[in-house]
Amino acid sequence: MTTIDFQTEPSRYRHWRIELDGEIAQLIMDVDENGGLFEGYQLKLNSYDLGVDIELADAVQRLRFEHPEVKAVVLRSGKERVFCAGANIRMLAGAAHAHKVNFCKFTNETRNALEAAGAESGQHYICAVQGACAGGGYELALACDHIMLADDGSTTVALPEVPLLAVLPGTGGLTRVTDKRKVRRDRADVFCSIEEGVKGERARDWRLVDELVSNAGFAEAVTARARDFAGRSKRAGEGPGVTLTPLRRRFEGEDAIRYSAVAVSLDRAAGVATIEIQGPDGPAPESVEALRGQGAEAWVLRAARELDDALLHLRLNELETGVLVFKTAGDPALAVAHEKLLLDNDGHWLANEILLYWKRVLKRVDLTSRSLVALLEPGSCFAGLLAELAFACDRSYMAEGSFEGDNRPPATLTLTPSNFGRFPMSNGLSRLETRFLGEPESLEAAERHLGEPLAAEQAMDLGLVTFAYDDIDWEDEVRIFLEERASFSPDAMTGMEANLRFPGPETMETRIFGRLTAWQNWIFQRPNAVGESGALRRYGTGLRGEYDRRRV
Amino acid sequence: MTTIDFQTEPSRYRHWRIELDGEIAQLIMDVDENGGLFEGYQLKLNSYDLGVDIELADAVQRLRFEHPEVKAVVLRSGKERVFCAGANIRMLAGAAHAHKVNFCKFTNETRNALEAAGAESGQHYICAVQGACAGGGYELALACDHIMLADDGSTTVALPEVPLLAVLPGTGGLTRVTDKRKVRRDRADVFCSIEEGVKGERARDWRLVDELVSNAGFAEAVTARARDFAGRSKRAGEGPGVTLTPLRRRFEGEDAIRYSAVAVSLDRAAGVATIEIQGPDGPAPESVEALRGQGAEAWVLRAARELDDALLHLRLNELETGVLVFKTAGDPALAVAHEKLLLDNDGHWLANEILLYWKRVLKRVDLTSRSLVALLEPGSCFAGLLAELAFACDRSYMAEGSFEGDNRPPATLTLTPSNFGRFPMSNGLSRLETRFLGEPESLEAAERHLGEPLAAEQAMDLGLVTFAYDDIDWEDEVRIFLEERASFSPDAMTGMEANLRFPGPETMETRIFGRLTAWQNWIFQRPNAVGESGALRRYGTGLRGEYDRRRV
């Protein structure tokens, strides 16, 4: 199978264009029919596959880093009479279950990033819909801050998945209809049952779109609305942006990937990938201007981009790797210093963007359906934003004291202000709040040790790690855990982790990943959708799906 | 296939005993190995199937109605050295997908009822665990208000589903561990990976149980704790209880069931069941004492029991019935009067219990994975607690004015205080709050019409029904909807409804049914669990499951 590469840049885009005009950018979807990621389908009517979405994710990311001046983004189609027909059905019908699920997860994360741009960075997306906007097309619109619909008698929004394909709108559609746009649930039921969709006043009255605009003045109205959003934006971008230069990434043989601050090594027989993040190799930049001078080479930004790429690579290209082991190395004090510069300057757009990017990467970790374990070993660098990785894991093992024949300093864990609310999970709580849901006093106790390099015994006492072992037991305990984990059913692990990782409150995000996705995955296994006579397989043949009528 | 009957009574129990002693009841699980609901398995080690749980549900219900004096219930095993081994694995391995799912849903509802008894009625369950308590056995304990564990070196609690069977603890276990007992998530991960479970101090320190008691004084300690709970109970039960006499139920041919206040008719070709609830046929009892005099014949209680039985029957025995049509008939003023007596006397234990039972039945409606539609026709009785049924439906159709050749009064909809918070859904909101999540002003507008019989036009204006049609269009519109619904994939409907019905906040209950159940259902489809070499199928053969290692 071809390796899927998540790295791209605007000059290589086949499906999107960015047009810049001061505070306003246009992000234009113009999918190349023949540019599918795999063989066997054409991307007609602005339908998309993972390749199209990789470009979109790249564009959304670059707009935040490379264009601090952009405060509103108009998302529109480059084609006549069609906005976007959604995910390509033939691609879905032909894809393996794991690919379908991973595809939906990535597109969901991209939709969330698009929403986060407005909410966190004041870079607001305005969706300009002319022509059919169906399924994933409408879900793209739903992820924008504002939806404008051409009132031309033919432009519709639709979620035709249920009647047409016997699957669910899989990119947050159902959840955003009820929870973001708060469409009345019986109307939502009607809307999701109508193959041809809803147009005009009904679309507006039912809150499916925000405004109706006549075709004649459409472009002007959209620009005016974009200026309006830009005028109210809190985005404080000044001066030049930071170019996201190509990653320094080297595939070494079959089993290793080496980036500048991240290294991945694979043990395929064991089903384990080890991701080691290297702390900074020098002092923090002296000022936020110096940080900007470093550009994409700044340590946190570089580590974030590399870790993000590694996670996506493992998710899509290494399906049999069931366990991700997180390690770190380096000087915790340096990591804290680099982080401190960002925290002290979080009013500056670049420091802010880097922190927000780290937040998104951590969420990507939380949502990775592999068993996650942190090993805090001698010489490790679990401080502040890197310690957060340990709290994202299902378990953590910490080494006690020095190891024989190892002259690296004993493992420590250092808490910083960034462990107390700076990087909320999808459930809206910090990882420590989630961890200590039943014992808020433990959260307070931890906070009293802010900035101290905690040894294993202290970390255990404070409830910050799962187990601590000295060098006599360490190797055996870790090995036994990894072997045990590898012996469990991967599906049971996925289900268990999806439930245990997100206790406490739910948000639209957790509902999308926990409830909607789970039901969609179930349906993606059902013969009524994916069997020989199922609707997804029969799409385009002129035959309707034949259904087993039993309700479950 | 045998029809599953949900009606039973203590004299017919094969698996449970109730022993009464003033304020304290003992509910003793002593499963008859040979009393399985189906052939092919023995219920060893106090393992259970649906038949065992039907008796449990009956016992929990009768304790509330028949024993107002009981304020604490000790749930314990009648067997030596084993508390409960959970759901019977051979039963699960042999069951069809739909039966597995329906079985889990019913057992979940029963666990919720057990929790509700404490929270709402002050009838608290104390779980006394001696001997192995695994899987569904521990989930039963988790649903109690207090768990006491024998500190005898061998008694354990365990959730061995993941390592042993490659499925999830399916009756709320994962959710209650993290959200009710607030076990730290990494400890939960460890606990759910240990086949043999956790005992003694670790079980208590990790909050898996509430207290440890030595074996010597176990019975006394349990009784003392039960007295303690009884002493603090808010239950105000006085005087004799109400005996839940056998339902008046008649199966008429293949296609109809007639109860006293409920009638079910099946159109199997169309996949539609119509449930008609008949309003009261006489005035409300004059006092709460008169209500008690009516006993199980009181209209609301009778309607609740009958509707509950009809729903369960349709769920388990009529799998191909994809649509439930709710109708009512009778005098709305009478229905309001019967309800008013309950609301005015909700400090009285019986009025309170009846209202709380109606709340549980409505939740059972919400959680029924069939398309739900209310038809508000001439002569109907959608007032107050019956109107709530319309708000539970996915859609509602209301007839405008009189119909030709029909001399029944035009349809009306009457709101009462019971539509504004008395019957919260699993999400904690009333059905109208859920409906008007995005427009609180509509909720206020509706409240201003309290007690008025609203005609179709008004109900439409107020957003209380989905569609209104006059007698020219009525029949066609309803027919088209039913035909359309029948043409959709049942699985897609299940997934869509599970997402659209519960917008807004989530609670432990919605998480259990929406997140945990969805993942469990997905796993119940996966070859790693249910395939020929899957763990569930191989259980007891001495062979481990063979797994496809790809993560999804």
Side-chain angles (χ1 to χ4, degrees):
Chain A
M1 212 178 101
T2 339
T3 297
I4 298 169
D5 188 355
F6 289 84
Q7 295 305 310
T8 185
E9 52 173 319
S11 71
R12 290 160 56 201
Y13 290 176
R14 298 186 65 169
H15 311 294
W16 295 87
R17 290 196 306 280
I18 301 175
E19 292 179 3
L20 298 160
D21 180 14
E23 292 183 346
I24 316 284
Q26 308 265 332
L27 181 54
I28 301 160
M29 185 178 203
D30 194 359
V31 175
D32 176 355
E33 283 192 6
N34 301 312
L37 199 55
F38 304 104
E39 299 291 311
Y41 54 86
Q42 282 201 303
L43 296 172
K44 295 193 176 176
L45 299 170
N46 256 4
S47 65
Y48 61 84
D49 67 356
L50 181 59
V52 177
D53 228 69
I54 287 172
E55 291 185 5
L56 172 61
D58 185 75
V60 173
Q61 178 80 331
R62 284 181 195 276
L63 281 165
R64 288 179 75 166
F65 280 96
E66 300 188 354
H67 302 287
E69 76 285 3
V70 170
K71 296 178 177 172
V73 182
V74 174
L75 182 66
R76 63 176 178 85
S77 166
K79 298 202 191 300
E80 294 282 321
R81 276 190 291 279
V82 62
F83 175 77
C84 168
N88 188 275
I89 311 303
R90 285 178 193 281
M91 176 278 293
L92 274 182
H97 184 64
H99 183 80
K100 280 199 208 57
V101 172
N102 272 310
F103 165 69
C104 287
K105 183 175 284 180
F106 180 76
T107 53
N108 266 315
E109 289 171 320
T110 306
R111 304 301 167 277
N112 289 346
L114 211 137
E115 249 165 7
E120 298 175 342
S121 253
Q123 196 171 66
H124 298 284
Y125 281 73
I126 287 93
C127 194
V129 182
Q130 276 180 307
C133 172
Y138 179 52
E139 289 176 302
L140 195 52
L142 282 169
C144 294
D145 290 349
H146 192 79
I147 308 176
M148 303 178 76
L149 193 76
D151 189 19
D152 56 7
S154 69
T155 289
T156 54
V157 294
L159 290 178
E161 283 87 344
V162 165
L164 198 62
L165 304 167
V167 301
L168 301 185
T171 324
L174 298 181
T175 312
R176 284 201 176 83
V177 162
T178 56
D179 281 69
K180 182 179 182 182
R181 304 199 62 90
K182 298 189 168 59
V183 174
R184 227 173 64 197
R185 53 169 278 209
D186 56 340
R187 288 174 170 170
D189 181 274
V190 174
F191 174 58
C192 297
S193 310
I194 303 179
E195 218 171 289
E196 65 275 20
V198 168
K199 63 184 175 186
E201 287 179 11
R202 177 177 265 195
R204 186 193 53 203
D205 293 347
W206 286 17
R207 282 199 291 273
L208 297 165
V209 304
D210 292 292
E211 59 180 311
L212 274 184
V213 184
S214 74
N215 241 347
F218 194 75
E220 294 70 28
V222 168
T223 306
R225 183 64 65 218
R227 292 215 183 285
D228 185 31
F229 269 87
R232 286 180 287 127
S233 161
K234 65 174 186 191
R235 189 166 171 85
E238 272 174 23
V242 163
T243 303
L244 299 177
T245 49
L247 292 187
R248 289 188 261 151
R249 179 182 63 178
R250 219 167 54 238
F251 289 89
E252 298 186 337
E254 294 283 292
D255 304 330
I257 313 168
R258 188 161 296 280
Y259 302 84
S260 73
V262 172
V264 177
S265 62
L266 284 156
D267 179 346
R268 289 210 172 74
V272 174
T274 301
I275 302 176
E276 181 164 310
I277 297 116
Q278 182 72 45
D281 47 16
E286 284 179 6
S287 66
V288 72
E289 279 315 311
L291 175 79
R292 173 153 42 185
Q294 293 184 344
E297 286 299 303
W299 173 70
V300 180
L301 177 54
R302 195 156 44 92
R305 294 181 68 207
E306 294 175 356
L307 177 55
D308 210 15
D309 187 70
L311 288 168
L312 290 168
H313 173 79
L314 291 168
R315 275 193 193 170
L316 271 289
N317 297 315
E318 297 289 345
L319 296 177
E320 299 202 7
T321 300
V323 182
L324 305 189
V325 174
F326 286 92
K327 296 186 181 186
T328 58
D331 180 350
L334 279 182
V336 170
H338 277 253
E339 173 187 301
K340 188 166 185 305
L341 181 90
L342 300 178
L343 296 177
D344 289 349
N345 292 282
D346 64 354
H348 186 273
W349 76 268
L350 179 57
N352 188 41
E353 285 297 353
I354 294 174
L355 289 168
L356 291 170
Y357 186 25
W358 191 255
K359 171 176 157 187
R360 294 197 293 283
V361 176
L362 286 169
K363 284 187 180 184
R364 182 106 74 196
V365 174
D366 297 330
L367 289 168
T368 295
S369 76
R370 311 290 168 97
S371 295
L372 309 175
V373 56
L375 299 185
L376 291 74
E377 297 176 318
S380 65
C381 186
F382 284 97
L385 52 75
L386 290 183
E388 203 65 16
L389 278 174
F391 305 139
C393 285
D394 300 306
R395 308 185 183 185
S396 50
Y397 290 77
M398 189 161 182
E400 284 175 1
S402 300
F403 277 25
E404 208 179 303
D406 186 336
N407 60 6
R408 293 173 301 175
T412 57
L413 179 66
T414 310
L415 300 174
T416 72
S418 77
N419 302 118
F420 294 87
R422 171 65 64 172
F423 303 117
M425 299 172 60
S426 298
N427 65 4
L429 304 181
S430 73
R431 286 172 190 77
L432 284 182
E433 280 176 305
T434 301
R435 184 176 185 84
F436 294 130
L437 208 53
E439 37 187 293
E441 67 283 6
S442 296
L443 190 68
E444 287 163 30
E447 206 161 1
R448 285 196 289 274
H449 294 271
L450 218 56
E452 299 172 21
L454 301 166
E457 293 78 358
Q458 285 175 290
M460 272 301 281
D461 284 348
L462 290 168
L464 297 170
V465 294
T466 317
F467 298 111
Y469 296 107
D470 61 20
D471 69 343
I472 298 172
D473 293 324
W474 176 262
E475 215 165 309
D476 275 351
E477 291 290 344
V478 170
R479 182 183 49 75
I480 288 167
F481 164 69
L482 293 175
E483 285 173 5
E484 182 193 72
R485 208 71 169 187
S487 76
F488 293 159
S489 159
D491 304 320
M493 287 288 103
T494 293
M496 182 177 100
E497 291 154 6
N499 280 280
L500 296 183
R501 283 186 195 160
F502 301 95
E506 298 245 2
T507 63
M508 201 165 66
E509 268 182 50
T510 62
R511 285 161 68 85
I512 289 172
F513 290 110
R515 175 186 278 264
L516 178 58
T517 298
W519 285 107
Q520 175 77 314
N521 292 358
W522 175 71
I523 291 167
F524 274 160
Q525 288 281 295
R526 300 283 293 161
N528 285 341
V530 296
E532 281 305 322
S533 311
L536 204 51
R537 293 290 283 276
R538 285 207 166 165
Y539 179 76
T541 63
L543 294 170
R544 289 194 74 93
E546 274 171 34
Y547 302 134
D548 177 344
R549 310 269 10 134
R550 282 173 298 174
R551 270 283 192 141
V552 178
Chain B
M1 210 179 103
T2 339
T3 297
I4 298 169
D5 188 354
F6 289 84
Q7 295 305 311
T8 186
E9 51 173 319
S11 70
R12 291 161 55 200
Y13 289 177
R14 298 186 66 170
H15 311 295
W16 295 88
R17 290 195 307 278
I18 300 175
E19 292 179 3
L20 297 160
D21 180 15
E23 292 183 346
I24 316 285
Q26 308 266 332
L27 182 54
I28 302 159
M29 185 177 203
D30 194 359
V31 176
D32 176 355
E33 283 191 7
N34 301 311
L37 199 56
F38 305 103
E39 299 292 311
Y41 54 87
Q42 282 200 304
L43 296 172
K44 296 194 174 172
L45 298 171
N46 256 5
S47 64
Y48 61 85
D49 67 357
L50 181 58
V52 177
D53 229 68
I54 287 172
E55 292 185 6
L56 172 60
D58 185 75
V60 173
Q61 178 79 330
R62 284 180 195 275
L63 281 165
R64 287 179 75 165
F65 279 98
E66 301 187 354
H67 302 287
E69 77 285 3
V70 170
K71 296 177 178 173
V73 183
V74 173
L75 182 66
R76 63 177 178 85
S77 166
K79 299 201 191 300
E80 293 282 322
R81 275 191 292 279
V82 62
F83 174 77
C84 167
N88 188 275
I89 312 303
R90 284 179 194 280
M91 176 278 293
L92 275 181
H97 184 63
H99 183 80
K100 281 200 209 54
V101 171
N102 272 310
F103 165 69
C104 287
K105 183 175 284 180
F106 180 76
T107 53
N108 266 315
E109 289 171 322
T110 306
R111 305 299 167 277
N112 288 346
L114 212 138
E115 248 165 7
E120 297 175 342
S121 253
Q123 197 171 66
H124 297 283
Y125 280 74
I126 287 90
C127 193
V129 182
Q130 276 180 307
C133 172
Y138 180 52
E139 289 176 302
L140 195 52
L142 282 169
C144 294
D145 290 349
H146 193 79
I147 309 176
M148 303 178 76
L149 193 77
D151 190 18
D152 56 8
S154 69
T155 290
T156 54
V157 293
L159 289 178
E161 283 86 344
V162 165
L164 198 61
L165 305 167
V167 300
L168 301 185
T171 324
L174 298 181
T175 312
R176 284 202 176 82
V177 163
T178 57
D179 281 69
K180 181 179 183 181
R181 303 199 63 90
K182 298 190 169 58
V183 174
R184 227 173 64 199
R185 54 169 279 210
D186 57 339
R187 287 174 169 170
D189 181 275
V190 174
F191 173 58
C192 297
S193 309
I194 303 180
E195 219 172 287
E196 66 276 19
V198 169
K199 62 185 175 184
E201 286 179 13
R202 176 177 266 194
R204 186 192 53 202
D205 293 348
W206 285 17
R207 282 198 292 273
L208 297 165
V209 304
D210 293 290
E211 59 180 311
L212 274 184
V213 184
S214 74
N215 240 347
F218 194 74
E220 294 70 28
V222 168
T223 306
R225 183 65 66 218
R227 294 214 181 287
D228 185 31
F229 269 88
R232 286 180 287 128
S233 161
K234 65 175 185 190
R235 189 164 171 86
E238 273 175 21
V242 163
T243 303
L244 300 178
T245 49
L247 291 188
R248 289 189 261 150
R249 180 182 62 179
R250 217 167 54 236
F251 289 89
E252 298 185 337
E254 294 283 293
D255 303 330
I257 313 169
R258 189 161 295 281
Y259 303 84
S260 72
V262 172
V264 177
S265 61
L266 285 157
D267 179 346
R268 288 209 172 74
V272 174
T274 302
I275 302 176
E276 181 164 310
I277 296 116
Q278 182 72 44
D281 45 17
E286 282 179 10
S287 66
V288 71
E289 280 315 311
L291 175 79
R292 172 152 43 186
Q294 292 184 344
E297 286 299 302
W299 175 69
V300 180
L301 178 53
R302 194 156 46 91
R305 293 181 69 207
E306 293 175 357
L307 178 55
D308 209 16
D309 186 70
L311 289 167
L312 290 168
H313 172 78
L314 292 169
R315 274 194 194 171
L316 270 289
N317 297 313
E318 297 289 345
L319 297 177
E320 299 202 8
T321 300
V323 181
L324 305 188
V325 174
F326 286 93
K327 295 186 181 185
T328 57
D331 180 349
L334 279 182
V336 170
H338 278 254
E339 173 187 303
K340 188 167 186 305
L341 181 91
L342 300 178
L343 296 177
D344 288 350
N345 292 283
D346 64 354
H348 185 273
W349 74 269
L350 178 58
N352 188 40
E353 286 296 353
I354 295 174
L355 289 167
L356 291 169
Y357 186 26
W358 191 255
K359 171 177 157 186
R360 293 197 294 283
V361 176
L362 286 169
K363 283 187 180 185
R364 182 105 74 196
V365 174
D366 297 330
L367 288 168
T368 296
S369 77
R370 311 292 167 95
S371 294
L372 309 174
V373 57
L375 299 185
L376 291 73
E377 298 176 317
S380 65
C381 186
F382 283 97
L385 51 77
L386 291 182
E388 203 65 14
L389 278 174
F391 305 138
C393 285
D394 300 306
R395 305 186 185 185
S396 51
Y397 289 77
M398 188 161 183
E400 283 175 2
S402 302
F403 277 24
E404 208 179 304
D406 186 336
N407 59 6
R408 293 173 302 175
T412 58
L413 179 67
T414 309
L415 300 173
T416 72
S418 77
N419 303 116
F420 294 87
R422 172 64 66 171
F423 303 117
M425 299 171 62
S426 299
N427 66 4
L429 303 181
S430 74
R431 286 171 190 77
L432 283 182
E433 279 176 307
T434 301
R435 184 176 186 84
F436 294 130
L437 208 53
E439 37 187 292
E441 66 284 5
S442 297
L443 189 68
E444 287 163 31
E447 206 162 1
R448 284 195 290 273
H449 294 272
L450 218 57
E452 297 172 23
L454 301 166
E457 294 77 359
Q458 285 174 290
M460 272 301 281
D461 284 349
L462 290 167
L464 298 170
V465 293
T466 316
F467 297 112
Y469 295 107
D470 61 21
D471 69 345
I472 299 172
D473 293 324
W474 177 262
E475 215 166 309
D476 275 352
E477 291 290 343
V478 171
R479 182 182 49 76
I480 288 166
F481 164 69
L482 293 175
E483 285 173 6
E484 182 193 73
R485 209 69 169 188
S487 76
F488 293 158
S489 159
D491 304 321
M493 286 288 103
T494 293
M496 182 176 102
E497 291 154 6
N499 281 280
L500 296 184
R501 283 187 195 160
F502 301 95
E506 298 245 1
T507 63
M508 201 165 66
E509 269 181 49
T510 62
R511 286 162 67 85
I512 288 172
F513 291 110
R515 176 187 279 265
L516 178 57
T517 298
W519 285 106
Q520 175 77 314
N521 292 358
W522 174 71
I523 291 167
F524 274 160
Q525 288 281 295
R526 300 284 292 161
N528 284 342
V530 296
E532 281 304 323
S533 312
L536 204 52
R537 293 289 284 276
R538 285 206 166 165
Y539 179 76
T541 63
L543 293 170
R544 289 194 75 92
E546 274 170 34
Y547 302 135
D548 177 342
R549 310 266 12 132
R550 283 173 296 175
R551 270 282 191 142
V552 177

